Structure formats: C-alpha cells, structure tokens
Amino acid sequence: MKRFGWQTKATAILGSLCLVFGLAACGSGNDSQQQDKTNNSSKQADGPINVVASINQWGSLAKEIGGNDVNVTSIVNTVSVDAHDFEPQTTDMAKLQGAEIVVVNGAGYDNWASKSIAKGTTSVSAATAVGASTGDNPHLWFSKDARKATATELEDAFAKARPAKAKQFQARLKTWKANETKLENSMKEFSQKHQDATYGATEPVAYYLMDDLGFTDKTPKGYTQAVSSEGEPAPSDLQKFQHLISGREVNLLINNTQEASNTTNLLTGTAGRTEVPVVDVSEQMPKDQTTLTGWITTLMKSIDKAMADFKASEADHQKVTDGDKTDNSDGSGQSGQSGNSTNSNQQTPTAPFDGSVPSNAGQTDPGK
C-alpha cells in the first residue's frame, strides 16, 4: 500500500512539473520517437527501393535495371494464375500500399493493381510508356517498343528515388539495352530467313512478338474478337480456323497454355494430326526463366524450330497432294482414295518437338 501511495504522489508531482515547465520534460519521449522516424527515413533513402510489380514479367525487368539497389516483389508470379481475372488477397493489397514504387502493365490487364496504388507512391506503367489503353492488346511485355520504353521509365524512377545511385541505374540500363539490341537483331535475321511466315493463335497472347518477328496472323478475325472478349467463338469461325490448320495454311499454331478449353484442345489436336507445329506460350514468365529478354529469346528459338519442323514435313504432305491428283486422273471413280488413305495413316498426332501430342488436355483455365 505504501508503495502504491508513493507512485501516486510521484505521478502528481511529475504532472505539476509538466504544467510549470510547459511540458518540456514530458515531450522528451515524443522527441525520441520523431528522431526514430527521421532515422528510418534516412535509412530508406539510402537503402534498397521497395518495388512491387503486379506481374513477374515487369518485376524481372525492374530487378535487371535496379540490381541490388531494389527489392522487387511480383504479386502474380506463376503460370497457374490468370492475371486477367486475378483477385488480390489482403496481403497483396498491403504490399501495394507499402511500396515505394509500383510497376503495372496497364491497358486493363491488371486494374486490381492500378487502382490500389497509395497516394504519393511512384507508379510506372508499361501501357502509359507506349500510349496503350484499355481495349488494346494488353500483352505488352512481348513488344520490343514497350520493353524499351518501360526499362527507360524504370531507370528514371529509380534514379529519382535514389539520386546517389543514378549512375548505377544508368549503367544497368545500358547493359540491358545492349542485350535487347542483340535480341532485336536476331529478330531481324529471323524475319529475313522466314519471309512470308504465317501463324494462327488460340489466343492473341504473342501478337506483338509475332509481329516483331515478321509473321502474318491468319487467325479468323471473328475467332480472335470472341476469345479476346472472353466469349465463345462462333461455330463458323471455329470451323474456318480448323480448315486453316488442317490445310496447312499456317506455318505454326501459337497456344496460350493459361487459357485452356475444349476449343483450344480441338485446335491443337487438329494441328497435331496435320503436322502443324504448336508453340506453347504462357502469359506469366515461367519459373525456369529469370529475365524478360532471356525468356523471349527462348521463345524465339522454339518458333524457329517450329518453322524448321513445318518445312521438314512439307515433302510428305506434298506426296499426299500428288497422290490426290493421280487418283483424280485415273478414271476409276475412286477419286482421292490414295490421298485419304495416306491421311488415315496420319491420324496419330505427330508432335513438333518431343513426340508428345500438342494439346491442352488435362489443363484447366485458372481464370475461369
């Protein structure tokens, strides 16, 4: 009891002193807290930049430009998640709110991230960098123009956040541009080597990449418009697409593995039966890839191999055509039997790369 009384009395005396001296003594704790905040701000200004990217494609680019001077977190970083329909968790929102710099794709691809950026946070948008908007093809990381513009925007944002590290950011951007230039030179060589190259696509994920490589997209427009708006293609457009593939009027089929459906299974199966190579492309960067430029280089090599596979199978399909002509001229009334017999022997799908049937069978669409 005496101890409690002593504490009470001491508290009263301390309160009186605070009133007399204008709370000078009591303010020392607040001063200490303010000093801690100042020290933390100073550490933040000198330490790595907290960068949060909506998707790992742009997160990997931010890491290349930022190096050890950034800590990058990519919210969508697996091919099992569809960023179009991604629903962020509370922890994801907290990461965005706590970021010093947020990197988004834009063009309606990741609105959940674009709308969650805290006031005062620096934002880098790939769509803004190239003037793209909602309604445009949002797969901007496959565009050489978008990659270069976004890399430059990242370097600028990092340099403003850490002026003392500006030279390091500039040096990394220069190194990145050198690698990107090598990739673009390879693309030019590819387009010269494969003039008049054509393709079809189960979904326009690689539109910019194929355009940069000089390909002509022969996918029926009605089909593309339907899948781009997440609808079902009309039977007539699907049939037209099948005939396009079965007639080998395209050199290869681009298959978005993150948009699997019965329709894509049908198309990849048709391609397998007629030896039209299928090149699988995901939207998010796979785990076995570490840089955006490196990933695209790998895809380009797969596309180059697909073109070689198509050419290699050309002779066999020419024999089928010649056989049809022979049957049509023999007057036997059995027109086309030879050709049909050959085709019946080809009903077992032949894969373009590793002997497996190119199909989305067994896959699920994570966004639906």
Side-chain angles (χ1 to χ4, degrees):
M1 292 294 295
K2 290 182 179 179
R3 185 177 179 184
F4 178 80
W6 177 84
Q7 287 179 329
T8 303
K9 184 175 181 181
T11 301
I13 294 173
L14 179 59
S16 299
L17 291 174
C18 287
L19 290 174
V20 173
F21 294 104
L23 299 178
C26 297
S28 60
N30 292 333
D31 289 342
S32 178
Q33 292 176 4
Q34 185 63 41
Q35 185 63 39
D36 289 341
K37 290 182 179 180
T38 301
N39 290 337
N40 288 335
S41 298
S42 177
K43 290 180 181 178
Q44 184 182 43
D46 294 334
I49 305 170
N50 180 21
V51 180
V52 176
S54 61
I55 53 179
N56 65 356
Q57 298 94 304
W58 296 124
S60 67
L61 182 58
K63 183 60 180 177
E64 280 195 85
I65 306 302
N68 294 329
D69 296 312
V70 297
N71 286 327
V72 180
T73 300
S74 296
I75 294 179
V76 180
N77 59 2
T78 172
V79 297
S80 64
V81 174
D82 184 358
H84 290 279
D85 304 312
F86 177 73
E87 295 184 4
Q89 302 297 313
T90 303
T91 52
D92 298 322
M93 301 297 289
K95 291 174 184 177
L96 289 167
Q97 292 288 318
E100 192 173 349
I101 295 178
V102 172
V103 187
V104 298
N105 184 78
Y109 188 78
D110 47 4
N111 284 335
W112 52 269
S114 301
K115 295 178 180 180
S116 303
I117 301 174
K119 184 178 180 180
T121 300
T122 300
S123 172
V124 175
S125 166
T128 300
V130 290
S133 58
T134 301
D136 294 330
N137 188 308
H139 308 105
L140 297 169
W141 54 91
F142 284 132
S143 164
K144 58 182 175 61
D145 294 331
R147 289 194 300 275
K148 287 187 291 188
T150 304
T152 300
E153 289 294 316
L154 286 168
E155 184 274 331
D156 182 65
F158 293 164
K160 288 180 178 177
R162 300 291 186 276
K165 301 292 183 67
K167 290 184 178 180
Q168 287 92 319
F169 297 130
Q170 291 171 2
R172 294 189 192 104
L173 177 62
K174 184 178 180 180
T175 299
W176 180 86
K177 284 184 174 179
N179 292 329
E180 177 70 14
T181 298
K182 290 179 181 179
L183 173 60
E184 292 181 20
N185 288 338
S186 296
M187 288 181 169
K188 290 178 182 178
E189 292 175 3
F190 179 96
S191 61
Q192 292 171 356
K193 176 182 176 183
H194 302 291
Q195 296 185 16
D196 301 322
T198 61
Y199 79 102
T202 62
E203 199 263 355
V205 60
Y207 172 81
Y208 295 116
L209 172 59
M210 302 307 282
D211 186 61
D212 288 342
L213 289 171
F215 275 83
T216 297
D217 184 4
K218 298 193 73 174
T219 309
K221 291 184 178 180
Y223 174 93
T224 299
Q225 291 173 350
V227 297
S228 295
S229 59
E230 298 187 356
E232 290 294 328
S236 59
D237 288 323
L238 181 57
Q239 186 177 44
K240 187 184 299 182
F241 200 176
Q242 279 188 280
H243 287 167
L244 192 74
I245 298 170
S246 61
R248 289 170 59 87
E249 295 180 49
V250 292
N251 299 129
L252 57 88
L253 178 68
I254 295 294
N255 175 46
N256 184 350
T257 57
Q258 290 183 246
E259 293 290 343
S261 67
N262 291 333
T263 297
T264 59
N265 287 341
L266 182 64
L267 294 171
T268 55
T270 301
R273 288 189 293 275
T274 53
E275 294 189 281
V276 171
V278 177
V279 177
D280 288 335
V281 179
S282 60
E283 297 196 26
Q284 272 56 64
M285 197 165 71
K287 289 184 178 180
D288 62 345
Q289 300 295 324
T290 57
T291 67
L292 187 54
T293 303
W295 178 34
I296 295 172
T297 299
T298 299
L299 287 174
M300 191 179 70
K301 290 179 180 178
S302 296
I303 293 170
D304 189 44
K305 185 180 186 303
M307 291 295 292
D309 289 341
F310 182 87
K311 186 176 181 180
S313 64
E314 193 80 343
D316 291 337
H317 285 271
Q318 186 61 46
K319 290 178 182 178
V320 173
T321 302
D322 292 342
D324 289 339
K325 291 179 180 178
T326 300
D327 289 337
N328 286 334
S329 62
D330 64 8
S332 65
Q334 302 298 319
S335 173
Q337 278 193 359
S338 174
N340 290 337
S341 175
T342 304
N343 282 332
S344 66
N345 291 332
Q346 293 178 345
Q347 291 305 303
T348 300
T350 302
F353 303 119
D354 58 5
S356 61
V357 180
S359 172
N360 286 331
Q363 296 183 20
T364 59
D365 183 348
K368 302 295 184 293

